[in-house]
Amino acid sequence: QVQLVESGGGLVQPGGSLRLSCAASEFTFSTYAMKWYRQAPGKERELVAAISSAGGTTNYADSVKGRFTIGRDNTKNTAYLQMNSLNSEDTAMYYCNAIRGQRSYWGQGTQVTVSS
């Protein structure tokens, strides 16, 4: 059964950092682009960052450029989101998404809360 499992969320103070992980199983991870989305209460889901299947191309939402870094390790079937200089507007549930053509898989999400 295809699985994407996010981890690494939690409570962090403003200005702090977190590293999210997304562990994939039961599909050919290295052939899928990976994306991180987030959704805050009362808001639409927002694309935060994306990385190509081989890792050579990345894209970021303007709101996180220079603060977040997306990465992947295809030998470990894992994608990452390094988040630095966090602020209250980054508070949301974060989801990873694997996509290849019309195939798309989602994780269950991990909560990130930025608060003092």
Side-chain angles (χ1 to χ4, degrees), residues 57-115:
T57 302
T58 58
N59 290 287
Y60 298 92
D62 287 343
S63 58
V64 307
K65 272 181 188 175
R67 300 188 299 121
F68 289 13
T69 303
I70 190 171
R72 65 189 299 158
D73 185 340
N74 286 346
T75 67
K76 296 182 178 179
N77 290 350
T78 302
Y80 304 98
L81 186 67
Q82 177 67 42
M83 307 187 295
N84 299 328
S85 302
L86 287 161
N87 59 62
S88 59
E89 294 186 350
D90 298 315
T91 294
M93 185 72 79
Y94 284 73
Y95 300 89
C96 64
N97 169 237
I99 188 163
R100 187 185 75 184
Q102 293 184 337
R103 294 198 176 192
S104 180
Y105 306 121
W106 290 87
Q108 83 290 347
T110 186
Q111 178 67 40
V112 171
T113 303
V114 184
S115 176

